[in-house]
Amino acid sequence: MKLEEEIGELLKAKNLSLSTAESCTGGGIAALITSVPGSSEYFNGGIVAYSNEIKQDLLHVSAETLARHGAVSRETVVEMVKGAMKTLKTDCAVATSGIAGPGGGTQEKPVGTIWIAAAYKNEIVTMKQEGDCGRAGNVQCAIQNALSMLCGKLKLSLIHISEPTRPIS
């Protein structure tokens, strides 16, 4: 089963909704999610926020965060994922922001640096993807990492929710 199909099954099992906030992946995550028949049952929508203005206006990323940490940062993707859930009224979301290449990198943030966040309600996990595999490779890797993170978060959350309570002995 493909990751996007597994995510769909997990979301349907608990009646959860999903949104995306994408910068460097350009809607690729949303495209994969919506390639699954029946995804309208759980996918509310996505925002491709390439500019900082859109990150601020639609995803509620603060100007201070962007000034202090930059668009390619853990802090920014955390605010993006929260903003996606708020704006698109969902239980879960994924967000990406990075430097896909071939240009745009700096010594501190070289090409291939991509921050990813996955959220289930108020639980957020992040990862920093590093290494330059060319623009297409960087984007595809980020899409797969985002889907893997979301799938893992959903599995953990669903297991935790469904665990029976045991009496303390």
Side-chain angles (χ1 to χ4, degrees), residues 43 135 141:
F43 186 71
R135 184 176 182 84
C141 192

Side-chain angles (χ1 to χ4, degrees), residues 81 85 118-125 153 156-157 160-161:
V81 84
M85 289 189 296
Y120 167 75
K121 299 193 178 181
N122 62 348
E123 301 172 17
I124 300 170
V125 291
K153 189 81 208 132
L156 279 175
S157 296
H160 182 72
I161 289 168

Side-chain angles (χ1 to χ4, degrees), residues 19 44 47 58-60 79-93:
S19 58
N44 284 17
I47 296 171
L58 297 182
L59 296 172
H60 313 289
E79 289 186 26
M80 286 173 69
V81 84
K82 288 178 181 177
M85 289 189 296
K86 180 180 178 180
T87 299
L88 297 165
K89 298 173 176 49
T90 60
D91 305 300
C92 306

Side-chain angles (χ1 to χ4, degrees), residues 1-43:
M1 180 181 295
K2 294 179 181 174
L3 271 172
E4 57 271 23
E5 295 168 341
E6 189 172 0
I7 287 166
E9 292 300 316
L10 290 165
L11 291 167
K12 283 193 287 189
K14 284 292 182 182
N15 197 30
L16 298 171
S17 55
L18 174 66
S19 58
T20 59
E22 301 181 66
S23 185
C24 63
T25 50
I29 297 167
L32 275 181
I33 293 292
T34 58
S35 73
V36 178
S39 56
S40 61
E41 291 178 45
Y42 51 84
F43 186 71

Side-chain angles (χ1 to χ4, degrees), residues 64-123:
E64 182 185 339
T65 297
L66 291 167
R68 182 177 289 165
H69 304 285
V72 181
S73 66
R74 179 186 185 279
E75 293 80 4
T76 294
V77 293
V78 165
E79 289 186 26
M80 286 173 69
V81 84
K82 288 178 181 177
M85 289 189 296
K86 180 180 178 180
T87 299
L88 297 165
K89 298 173 176 49
T90 60
D91 305 300
C92 306
V94 292
T96 60
S97 189
I99 304 153
T106 64
Q107 193 165 355
E108 299 82 34
K109 296 177 186 178
V111 170
T113 303
I114 299 173
W115 276 96
I116 305 165
Y120 167 75
K121 299 193 178 181
N122 62 348
E123 301 172 17

